[in-house]
Amino acid sequence: MPSSQELVSESGLPTGSFKPFDQFTHGAWLGDAELNHCFQFELSRPIALSLERADQRASIRYQQDASYPFIQLYTPNSEPTLLLSP
């Protein structure tokens, strides 16, 4: 995932503020991470994401047009988590 700005939230509600975020620029194991975050990108090209299960039995490849620079990542507590690749 390219470097982005994360929308700051408090008690699950967005504050309207952003902070720099680059944790997933080189891929990352999401493991026990609990995500319900919105990210904003400043790119002139499409945004590409790849999510893969650790056992490689499933994957999702996603590309979003740069004209809509937001992506929401959510990992439910009750499901196995995916690996986010650059």
Side-chain angles (χ1 to χ4, degrees), residues 13-84:
L13 299 173
T15 65
S17 299
F18 288 88
K19 64 181 179 181
F21 188 88
D22 65 359
Q23 181 179 345
F24 300 141
T25 56
H26 300 291
W29 170 251
L30 298 179
D32 294 329
E34 292 182 21
L35 295 175
N36 190 6
H37 303 292
C38 179
F39 300 96
Q40 180 181 25
F41 301 90
E42 294 181 19
L43 297 175
S44 58
R45 63 179 202 258
I47 300 159
L49 295 175
S50 175
L51 298 166
E52 300 174 5
R53 279 181 45 145
D55 62 10
Q56 299 180 345
R57 293 180 56 199
S59 66
I60 299 170
R61 302 215 189 291
Y62 176 81
Q63 181 170 313
Q64 180 169 305
D65 189 271
S67 65
Y68 189 78
F70 296 96
I71 290 179
Q72 182 81 23
L73 291 180
Y74 172 73
T75 55
N77 296 337
S78 61
E79 299 292 327
T81 302
L82 300 170
L83 174 67
L84 181 64

